[in-house]
Amino acid sequence: MSDPRERATSRPPPVVGEGCARRYDPEALSSEDGTDFPGAEELWRQLQEKVPDESERAEKEKGR
């Protein structure tokens, strides 16, 4: 940015598809796109432990 009047802007990556199938173009993404969330895997594991599986839910529904 050599021009002092030029403003910094960000733009989303290109998308492919339309409607519900619209998503970011995987070929246009790089390691610079995304988030830094080192605890994501651990959080996912903890959340999955809290969710009862389908058989447990079915048994609870029968017991009502």
Side-chain angles (χ1 to χ4, degrees):
M1 284 181 32
S2 60
D3 183 359
R5 291 174 287 187
E6 185 178 330
R7 294 189 177 142
T9 61
S10 63
R11 292 184 180 86
V15 295
V16 294
E18 294 181 14
C20 294
R22 187 174 181 166
R23 63 193 185 283
Y24 292 125
D25 183 358
E27 293 181 9
L29 299 175
S30 71
S31 61
E32 295 296 314
D33 300 309
T35 61
D36 183 20
F37 188 5
E41 184 177 356
E42 177 63 19
L43 176 60
W44 180 253
R45 187 186 61 73
Q46 290 173 6
L47 292 173
Q48 292 305 305
E49 289 174 357
K50 292 180 182 179
V51 177
D53 66 12
E54 290 299 319
S55 61
E56 290 177 21
R57 272 192 232 147
E59 289 299 318
K60 287 181 182 179
E61 291 294 321
K62 287 180 185 177
R64 285 187 179 182

